[in-house]
Each structure stands twice: as C-alpha cells, then as structure tokens.
Amino acid sequence: MSKNTTGRPASSHHASQHDTLKRDVTAFQSFAVAFGFVSIATGIFTAYGAMLSTSGPMGIWTWPVVVVGQLMVALILGSLAARIPVTGYVYQWTSRISNPVFGWIMGWISFTFLAIVLCAVDYTIASTVLPVLFGYEGTTMNAWWITSLVIVAQAVMIAFSTKFTQRFNAVAVTIQLVGMIGLVVLLFAVGAINNELDFANLTSTGTIGAEGYYAFGELTKAGPWIMGTLLGAFTIVGFESAANLAEETREPARVVPKAMWQAVLSLGIIGMLFLIAVTALLGDPTALGASATPIADVITRVLGPIVGNFLLVLVVISIFSCGLVILLSGTRLVWAMSRDERFPGWQLWHKISPTLHTPVNATIFVAVIGQVILALFSQQTDALFSLFSAATLLPAIIYAVTVLMYAAKRHQLPPSQGFTLGAWEVPVLVLAIAWLAFELAIFRDASFAKPWSYVAIMFAIGAVYLGYLLVSRGGANGLKMPDLIAIDSILDADRGAEYKSAPAE
C-alpha cells in the first residue's frame, strides 16, 4: 500500500486543523446519510416503467437478487471503511490502497457517475411524477426545461447556504422513510378494502413472451428477466456515502460499516414491499406498461386525487433531495480534486466564495456539466432509460474495481478498528465479485449503446487530461498523495477557505 505522504509544506497545517474537527456524527445520522443517498422513491419511480417494458411485472423478483448482491458489496466496502476510515470518497480510498494515479482515475470515474446520475434523478421528477400531479401531458421538451430548472434550484441552494441544504436533506430523509412506509401501508390497506389487489400480476410477464424469459441471452442481448435487475441496480447505490463522514463519526470503524449494510437491508425490505403493492395494484399490466408514469398512475387511482397527490408531493421532495445530495457530492469531489490541483480547470474550481463561504465555482461547474448532459440526452424518446442506464453502469464499474482492489490488497491493509467479516470475508468477496460480474454482463445488451458512448467519451476526456498531468508533472511520481482532509465537515462548517490549494507539485 502506498505511503500516506503529501509532499506539501502545508500538510502539517491541514492536519492540525483537521484534528480540531469534532466527531459529532451519530450512528443514526450515519445511517441517514446512506439511506438518503440511495432513495428508493427515486430509483423505483425512475426505473419501474422500463422494467415493465423489458421484463414485465415479474421483473420485480430480480429485486431480492440485487439486494443480496449489493449487500455483499456493502459488507466489503464496510470492511474497507473499518480499515481505512477516511473521508474523501473512492478518490481517497484508491489513492491509499493503490497509488495516486489510480486514485485520480477512480475520482474521475466518480465524477462521471455523479454528473449523469444528477440528470437521471432530476429528470424523474419531470417525466414520471409532475405530469400526473398537475395533470398535463409530459413531453421531451417540457421534461427538459423542468429538469433544467430543478438543477438550477439545487445549485442555488448549495451555493448560497450549506446549512440550509443540510437541514433540507435531514427533513427529506425523514419524509422519505416515513412517507414510503406510510405509502406501502396505505396501498395494501386501500387495495384490500376495495378488493383491487391482484396477486396474479406478481407472476405475470405482461407483454413479454414466456419462451426464453429466464435465459441469460445472447452475445449482444440480455434475457428478459435479467434485464429487470436494472431496477434494483440503479436504486441501491450510494450506500458507501456514509464513509464520507468517517472522520467525523463516533466510533467510525464500527458505526460506518453497520450504517452501510443496514441501509441496504432496510431499503431492500421497504422497496420490495412497495414493489409488491404497486404491482398487485397495476390492474391490466399491458395497458399500464405503455404509460410513462405507471407508479404515479397507480397511486392516484388507488388512493384518490387528494391523498395520492399529497403523497406524490412527498415523493417529489424525496427525489429533489436525492438530486441535491448528488449535486452536493459532485461539487465536493470537484473541489477536493481541484484543491489537490489535479482536476481540469482546478485554478477556478478550488476557490471558496469569501461572502458565501461555499465552493460556488465548483457548484456552478457541476451544474453546467449536468445541463450539457441533459441537453444531449433530453430530446431522445428514451432519454430516461439512457440516463438511468449510464447511472447504473458507472457505479457497477466503481464497485467492481474497488472490490477487486480490496481482494488483492486486503492482507496489506491496516487491521480493522472495529467491524470485521472474519471467516466470512472470502465467501462474501466471492459473492460480491460474482454479483458484479453478472451485473456488468447485462450491459452487453445492444440497448445500452448510448450509455457506453457517454462512458467512452468521458473516459477519453479523462485519459487526455491524465496524460497531460503526467507529462507536465514529470510522470507518475509527480502526483503525490492527496491531502487527507475531512471534505464534508470542513465545507459544512464554512471553513473551506482555510484549506487553500497547496503549491503545484
């Protein structure tokens, strides 16, 4: 494992400042961070319609498979967090387990993911909820400008007030937890009272033929049932966000891993119950499969316009908050990499506003990149599918690389300071690797050509810039270990200006 050196004269100052940060993140707050980033409301509203068209209603039974697979990944990342409880996203983990060059690569992949998942999440509001809530016909054009306004609103919140943003997110997490449980209970109760629950839908393939339904598929085509795993794979990501507050969490080596796996498990259970309720209340799966807003349609039909619309408002708040957290994460990743002078245009993005005390430039940059991506995808009839598919592919790549890296380096890592898998580590590793290999194999399907194009273009841009960095700084040795600072805690405390960019390496 690479040594933790910075090669910067200012590092001792950073360390002393960091040491004064309080460990005031509780176990529940750590869980809330992981729970809030995942957001089952966002994931299911986004991907359920695509699941109906590719797998039929029975595609919901891929959900438990994904939950188990992602639970294995969460346990491995939790074990990694217990051994290296540092703040700074996968950018810091891989820099320390492997080397700073590989850390940069993973940081760039993380930025690529956050940029497109922001668009996928915010596009969900405009395309799957608001048309039903306000009774208008959704089009690619109005979905585009509404999503654009949502991104602007989120950027304004983040740029103008970190504290307000955090308070809003805290309230939204509570709304999502209580709201989703309440929604599940109401759907089952009202459906049962009105005799609308049709559990035969749970084993229906809808418009998908039964022949070859469970097949693995061909070289460029995944089987129908297997395609349904995109629903869970898009939804259950981001649980590792709890590790980003590791250095501000009480007993992080014990609390952070627990927050990860508990978030996956609880979201998995609530999500499965919600899927069963909605699917049993579909009515005619064939008719609703053609709708762009299937879940919102079910909710308003079963619960009525008043209760249904009230719950849809709560869903909008939850999805907006999820996008807000994603934009916030993207902003802080850009700020951190720019502060280490290794992000394109870092001279602009590492600056902190002297009046607002927030990384305004980095916020604007991420929001603008989101607008560009949105403009490229939004006029396509399958815009939502392309966006959330790319936002599923990228975390699968990130998780696969991180898990494989852990498998290769686990005997060289520091001993765990709390959580440990013990004798279960190897079986969990095997299952996690098998699951991620299976998930990535789905993306051989020809329908994912656009997501792969986005990934290829962003990787090419990253490769060019990395080449420039290596040439201009004298090779791989010119990229020193990034400074170890608590990004979230520093910016939450409006102290980013104290952590100025160090001299170029």
Side-chain angles (χ1 to χ4, degrees), residues 240-265:
E240 73 281 3
S241 58
N244 293 332
L245 295 177
E247 294 175 76
E248 287 68 61
T249 303
R250 300 167 190 168
E251 300 182 76
R254 180 186 63 83
V255 170
V256 170
K258 186 177 180 181
M260 288 188 197
W261 70 258
Q262 284 185 338
V264 172
L265 192 59

Side-chain angles (χ1 to χ4, degrees), residues 181-197 277 281 302-303:
I181 293 174
L183 182 56
V184 169
V185 172
L186 281 174
L187 287 173
F188 274 119
V190 176
I193 292 171
N194 294 335
N195 198 30
E196 292 184 72
L197 291 168
L281 291 166
V302 174
L303 302 181

Side-chain angles (χ1 to χ4, degrees), residues 357-375:
H357 307 292
T358 61
V360 174
N361 290 359
T363 304
I364 294 173
F365 171 75
V366 178
V368 168
I369 293 298
Q371 297 285 10
V372 171
I373 294 172
L374 179 64

Side-chain angles (χ1 to χ4, degrees), residues 212-267:
Y213 182 76
Y214 294 103
F216 185 70
E218 302 167 5
L219 182 62
T220 59
K221 183 175 179 59
W225 190 76
I226 291 173
M227 285 289 287
T229 57
L230 288 176
L231 172 65
F234 171 72
T235 304
I236 308 176
V237 294
F239 44 83
E240 73 281 3
S241 58
N244 293 332
L245 295 177
E247 294 175 76
E248 287 68 61
T249 303
R250 300 167 190 168
E251 300 182 76
R254 180 186 63 83
V255 170
V256 170
K258 186 177 180 181
M260 288 188 197
W261 70 258
Q262 284 185 338
V264 172
L265 192 59
S266 59
L267 287 161

